[in-house]
Amino acid sequence: MQKRFSFPVAALALLVPVWAAGGWRAPSGAVAVKQQLERLRVVGSVLMIAAHPDDENTALLAWCAQGRKLRTGYLSLTRGEGGQNLIGNEQGELLGVIRTQELLAARRMDGGEQFFTRAIDFGFSKTAEETLAKWGKQEILSDVVWVIRSFRPDVIILRFSGTPRDGHGHHQASAILGREAFRLAGDARAFPEQLRQVRPWQARRLYWNALAFTRQQEAEAEKMAGRLRIDTGEYNPLLGLSYGELAGLSRSQHRSQGMGSAERRGAAPNYLVLYDGEPASEDFFEGIDTSWNRLPGGAAVAEKLDAALAAFTPDAPERVIPHLVEARRRMAGIDHPDARRKMEELDETIAAAAGLWLDVSAMSPLAVPGGSAELVMTAIHRSRLPARLGGVTLEGVAGAPPFEGAALEYNRPHTARAALRVPADQPLTQPLQLRRPQEGNRYVMDRLADIGPAEAQAVLTALFRVEIGGGEILVRRPVEHRYVDRVRGELTRPFRIAPPVSLHLSETALLFGTAAARPVTVEVRAVAGPVQGKVRLEAPEGWRAEPAELPLDLSEAGQPATLTFRVTPPRAAGKGVLRAVAHTGGAEWRQGVVRIEYEHIPPQIVLRAAEARLLREDIRVSARRIGYVMGAGDLVPEALREMGCEVEMLDEQRLAQGDLRVYDAIVTGIRAFHVRADLRAAHARLRDYVERGGTLVVQYNTLEGFGGQASDAALRNIGPFPIRIGRARTAVEDAPVRLLEPDHVLMSRPNRITEADFQGWVQERALYFPAEWDPRYEALLETGDPGEPPQRGGLLYARAGAGAYIYTSFAWWRQLPAGVTGAWRLFANLVSGGR
């Protein structure tokens, strides 16, 4: 859940502690050492390409990474910013942050690595042509080529076919770009600017992982000529899981999409269809040498890796270390990116075999530019093989203090403390993709090297030098804040650099119905220590904020303050943006610190501009008291309060036992009938509420169940008369909208609605239109994407007894927070219900 500020390398995933999600941890100890010894002997790699988080075939990824021991990557062109959030109210870029972390959590389980391009998920698209035009085909094609050249896969697997059978335009585009990039990555004439950092790379084969959306498509896939069959349901006795079970764990990390999945057991055939490259008759790596023999001097390395595997025993995994140390010396003589990467894996394997615990923790999760942080280094050696800490250096912050070396005694922690002085010009921590303003539907990256990685390097990284087994290894660990939650146990937070003060305007959008001034509050909080200064509001031309500034004096970290200004709008209707600015320590700060916390992903901090949209519009509403049934999560209640309504959130008890007659209107949030069993159980009470004169507004729901609880049967009671939800949507945000009954009460009272009210909408018009409805409903609006039949189910109205029932598929949850004036006017009419 998004909160206002408050305090409180995938290939190595099997070797380091991971975020405990779903009560499951990746194997460690001797099991991890055995897995990594086998992985060290394999040099091959495979890359899967698709469009979104959740598009990947997690079973195939797990089979490749854990079964075949291949370096396995998933390139998702987008971070899923345009979807719906089923666990909170984050949208857009914040949802992209959540889904990035969900993908990383999934990869920690299936053993893959995660990559992205600069493309932004702008919402549902019906054609590849629209998608490529909005993204910029050449730019995203360049990104895909860059990732291929950097990752150097032997085999590339497309998740989609690149044809209209894929449905979503993003899906089609991912395969189209993948097919072109397969050949362009090996062509030195393509994107030559990349060749200063990478070399051309030609993968051997390009496959389509034949994906079937229907039984007919599944039958077609089974008959495709030249297809290869893979059983991703095989069992891994070392892990105690099949790859299908791993896939269920991995896919279930996509919680913001409601993708909880079964852990499948038993055979699970997958099919690969050759699109380009050398044919293969039996195996998708047929004829590809994945051993060390593919590298000059690699045979000598393989000899010692084989010896290490032969020496492995679960009771004494440290016996492999002398062989690995010698393999490391031989690797060091090979100048090749695969050898350098394998050396990092080898060092982690030695650390795991020796039972090394290496950590540098920050005593606070946040520091500010010009401030300081206390660091604690801990090194523990838990094998009988002699070892010595050669020293620890810190990377990422100029002037970070080193830790001196020391002998490591068996199972006795060696600790040291140091004070980190943060330079005044240290950059603030921000998710990699959000460091620069986006350009259209693409993120902006400062460096080529920033394209591909899921997230930036840690603010501070500790590099441990450990002498063991007659050699020296280098082990990197991110500096984190380690703490104990009394319910969940020991947890960590990433160490971040934040502004000294966090600013937050009281609402996302501020409505001024008249030219009269109104109070506007700024919530201010000290981040890491005392703060003194001033705060002001920057108002657009024609608006006025008073006073010019207010003093700020906070004595300790976490202390809040609420500052109240008066903002006067212009007399004429208009829009604008209001910004909060703090001056402290000789610097100016314009950000609010937003914290995102869910148990299945590490805590995230995002800096967002401290601003609110201003609306000067005479929007009238007849409803005064509204009950809101929150569904998957949205910000619609904020807008209703700005309209002057008193909004009460209806929990299970109020729905079941409360007096619903006190509400002029009841509104259900997006997908509420899917995520709220108590709402489905209250359908008879809601019907009675409407028949007694109430207004019920139901926002969109989908056909898909949630958590195995909702179904088509559950939607039978979504309205007083039958409605069957369909899959049609209008994805073009400026698609024409026609008023079917301009003089209808919802189109005329209390605000007169015209086609002009549908200008300036964002991302999409409507989704999951009803496919059929009882004739007692009146369809009031018509819209549709170009070239498609218009849809009339986006706004249905029916009288039931003395009250009114309204079902609407329009994307109010996107338009209201975005300050789309026409959407505010029409939604005010909906909750007024014709009063």
Side-chain angles (χ1 to χ4, degrees):
M1 178 179 294
Q2 173 187 339
K3 299 181 179 179
R4 296 171 186 173
F5 187 85
S6 63
F7 291 85
V9 184
L12 311 178
L14 294 179
L15 299 181
V16 298
V18 301
W19 190 258
W24 186 86
R25 283 181 179 269
S28 57
V31 171
V33 174
K34 178 68 159 48
Q35 282 278 97
Q36 192 60 9
L37 286 172
E38 295 176 351
R39 192 190 306 273
L40 282 170
R41 300 164 69 234
V42 179
V43 189
S45 57
V46 59
L47 179 67
M48 181 178 290
I49 300 176
H52 307 112
D54 92 342
D55 285 346
E56 74 272 27
N57 183 337
T58 51
L60 184 53
L61 292 176
W63 181 81
C64 289
Q66 308 284 16
R68 297 291 291 265
K69 305 299 187 294
L70 298 164
R71 185 188 183 201
T72 304
Y74 172 48
L75 172 59
S76 174
L77 299 194
T78 77
R79 298 174 187 258
E81 305 87 343
Q84 295 92 50
N85 184 359
L86 296 187
I87 59 175
N89 58 20
E90 296 89 353
Q91 298 176 19
E93 63 184 28
L94 294 183
L95 182 56
V97 170
I98 291 172
R99 292 189 172 168
T100 295
Q101 292 301 318
E102 289 179 335
L103 276 171
L104 289 171
R107 299 295 80 79
R108 283 191 286 269
M109 294 194 170
D110 57 41
E113 300 177 50
Q114 185 60 51
F115 302 97
F116 295 98
T117 72
R118 290 172 290 173
I120 294 174
D121 179 354
F122 56 82
F124 191 82
S125 173
K126 296 182 178 179
T127 67
E129 291 74 19
E130 180 199 35
T131 296
L132 295 172
K134 287 193 172 185
W135 282 345
K137 180 182 178 181
Q138 285 303 111
E139 289 81 359
I140 304 307
L141 178 60
S142 168
D143 292 357
V144 178
V145 168
W146 166 259
V147 172
I148 292 173
R149 287 172 171 173
S150 302
F151 188 78
R152 300 164 58 86
D154 296 299
V155 172
I156 297 174
I157 299 175
L158 303 177
R159 193 70 174 111
F160 298 101
S161 66
T163 66
R165 83 187 297 278
D166 301 332
H168 202 318
H170 297 182
H171 295 168
Q172 300 176 49
S174 72
I176 291 170
L177 294 173
R179 294 185 77 160
E180 293 189 27
F182 174 76
R183 288 295 176 185
L184 290 177
D187 186 347
R189 297 168 297 179
F191 308 108
E193 68 280 1
Q194 298 179 1
L195 302 183
R196 292 190 291 269
Q197 301 179 50
V198 293
R199 295 179 179 179
W201 177 258
Q202 183 58 62
R204 295 279 289 276
R205 296 186 180 100
L206 175 70
Y207 284 106
W208 167 44
N209 177 204
L211 179 65
F213 296 101
T214 65
R215 290 182 179 178
Q216 179 181 351
Q217 290 179 351
E218 185 175 350
E220 292 171 356
E222 292 181 356
K223 297 177 182 178
M224 289 180 179
R227 64 182 175 85
L228 293 179
R229 185 181 184 276
I230 292 173
D231 182 7
T232 59
E234 292 177 356
Y235 178 71
N236 186 317
L238 197 62
L239 299 177
L241 295 167
S242 71
Y243 304 114
E245 289 172 294
L246 268 179
L249 290 167
S250 174
R251 190 166 183 78
S252 295
Q253 299 313 301
H254 296 300
R255 297 187 189 180
S256 67
Q257 302 188 66
M259 288 291 171
S261 300
E263 298 170 24
R264 293 186 58 182
R265 299 160 186 88
N270 266 255
Y271 299 101
L272 298 179
V273 177
L274 186 70
Y275 265 9
D276 203 343
E278 305 170 10
S281 58
E282 299 294 334
D283 185 84
F284 76 133
F285 263 73
E286 193 171 288
I288 300 174
D289 186 0
T290 63
S291 74
W292 277 87
N293 292 329
R294 68 193 284 174
L295 302 183
V301 174
E303 178 187 6
K304 296 309 297 182
L305 293 178
D306 291 344
L309 186 59
F312 172 79
T313 60
D315 292 338
E318 65 271 18
R319 292 178 183 174
V320 307
I321 292 177
H323 299 287
L324 293 180
V325 168
E326 180 56 33
R328 192 183 196 282
R329 292 193 184 100
R330 299 180 183 186
M331 275 187 200
I334 302 176
D335 183 18
H336 192 278
D338 288 343
R340 290 189 289 272
R341 176 177 52 82
K342 283 294 183 182
M343 189 178 296
E344 294 180 11
E345 293 183 28
L346 185 145
D347 286 350
E348 289 286 352
T349 306
I350 292 175
L356 286 171
W357 170 261
L358 306 171
D359 179 71
V360 175
S361 297
M363 299 305 289
S364 171
L366 299 173
V368 301
S372 63
E374 184 180 358
L375 305 177
V376 178
M377 184 275 294
T378 304
I380 307 176
H381 174 229
R382 292 173 287 192
S383 80
R384 297 296 182 179
L385 205 63
R388 186 180 188 281
L389 179 65
V392 184
T393 56
L394 299 174
E395 303 172 345
V397 176
F403 293 94
E404 295 182 356
L408 296 177
E409 300 180 40
Y410 172 72
N411 206 29
R412 181 169 295 181
H414 170 71
T415 62
R417 292 177 177 267
L420 173 70
R421 301 295 178 184
V422 182
D425 60 352
Q426 181 72 26
L428 301 177
T429 305
Q430 184 76 321
L432 180 64
Q433 70 275 19
L434 302 181
R435 292 178 173 178
R436 298 273 304 277
Q438 66 188 57
E439 291 181 352
N441 292 295
R442 287 194 310 276
Y443 290 119
V444 175
M445 301 295 185
D446 290 324
R447 307 176 305 155
L448 261 176
D450 292 335
I451 298 172
E455 56 185 352
Q457 294 291 323
V459 171
L460 197 61
T461 300
L463 177 61
F464 290 81
R465 290 184 295 107
V466 180
E467 300 163 12
I468 189 169
E472 182 180 76
I473 63 172
L474 302 177
V475 179
R476 295 179 181 274
R477 293 287 182 265
V479 174
E480 298 176 308
H481 171 61
R482 193 173 298 276
Y483 67 104
V484 174
D485 181 284
R486 293 302 178 188
V487 175
R488 299 170 58 200
E490 182 175 308
L491 301 172
T492 61
R493 291 179 181 273
F495 176 64
R496 308 292 199 198
I497 305 299
V501 63
S502 174
L503 304 168
H504 183 88
L505 282 153
S506 56
E507 302 294 342
T508 304
L510 297 165
L511 176 64
F512 292 77
T514 69
R518 58 165 285 187
V520 173
T521 60
V522 181
E523 299 172 12
V524 188
R525 192 178 295 266
V527 170
V531 176
Q532 291 80 38
K534 297 178 180 180
V535 176
R536 62 184 173 86
L537 289 181
E538 287 183 351
E541 184 177 355
W543 299 70
R544 188 171 71 253
E546 298 174 308
E549 59 186 25
L550 287 172
L552 178 66
D553 188 1
L554 304 175
S555 59
E556 60 183 4
Q559 182 180 348
T562 299
L563 305 180
T564 302
F565 295 82
R566 291 193 67 80
V567 175
T568 304
R571 292 191 174 277
K575 302 171 71 172
V577 176
L578 185 69
R579 297 179 173 89
V581 185
H583 297 265
T584 179
E588 187 174 271
W589 307 97
R590 296 171 171 267
Q591 304 96 340
V593 179
V594 176
R595 190 177 56 157
I596 299 174
E597 295 205 19
Y598 295 98
E599 290 191 6
H600 66 300
I601 59 174
Q604 299 297 303
I605 282 179
V606 181
L607 305 181
R608 303 197 82 187
E611 60 185 36
R613 295 175 177 84
L614 296 171
L615 303 179
R616 169 66 182 94
E617 185 75 25
D618 181 15
I619 296 176
R620 302 175 183 180
V621 60
S622 300
R624 291 302 171 210
R625 192 173 182 185
I626 293 178
Y628 199 90
V629 184
M630 184 59 72
D634 59 61
L635 298 175
V636 172
E638 281 191 14
L640 292 172
R641 291 188 181 103
E642 280 297 302
M643 293 178 194
C645 301
E646 176 188 348
V647 180
E648 297 180 23
M649 307 307 290
L650 300 186
D651 57 17
E652 182 176 356
Q653 182 176 2
R654 287 187 178 181
L655 272 176
Q657 302 174 12
D659 184 2
L660 303 182
R661 293 174 299 176
V662 302
Y663 303 112
D664 297 322
I666 294 176
V667 181
T668 68
I670 60 172
R671 295 196 179 193
F673 276 84
H674 287 112
V675 302
R676 294 281 297 268
D678 58 324
L679 174 61
R680 299 193 296 272
H683 69 88
R685 297 195 79 227
L686 291 173
R687 173 70 180 260
D688 180 70
Y689 162 77
V690 173
E691 290 180 346
R692 289 174 177 268
T695 296
L696 178 61
V697 180
V698 176
Q699 296 183 76
Y700 92 94
N701 286 268
T702 69
L703 284 172
E704 293 82 5
F706 185 85
Q709 300 298 314
S711 64
D712 288 343
L715 296 181
R716 291 173 187 165
N717 297 313
I718 202 170
F721 315 117
I723 297 177
R724 185 172 68 83
I725 306 300
R727 297 185 181 276
R729 60 200 301 165
T730 299
V732 178
E733 63 269 28
D734 56 0
V737 177
R738 185 165 71 92
L739 279 61
L740 299 176
E741 297 186 44
D743 295 324
H744 190 277
V745 62
L746 290 192
M747 298 293 108
S748 59
R749 293 205 301 262
N751 305 288
R752 170 62 68 174
I753 304 301
T754 69
E755 293 181 0
D757 287 306
F758 295 92
Q759 296 175 2
W761 282 44
V762 299
Q763 186 160 323
E764 60 191 337
R765 280 287 191 218
L767 61 170
Y768 297 101
F769 285 92
E772 297 176 357
W773 54 89
D774 189 278
R776 283 169 286 189
Y777 290 105
E778 298 176 77
L780 303 181
L781 296 174
E782 179 184 88
T783 187
D785 283 329
E788 295 186 359
Q791 298 290 328
R792 292 192 167 193
L795 183 57
L796 301 177
Y797 172 89
R799 301 293 301 183
Y805 172 88
I806 298 160
Y807 185 88
T808 177
S809 298
F810 281 84
W812 311 106
W813 55 287
R814 293 197 191 278
Q815 314 310 321
L816 300 183
V820 178
T821 305
W824 281 61
R825 286 165 43 80
L826 182 48
F827 205 80
N829 283 15
L830 301 190
V831 297
S832 298
R835 294 178 188 276

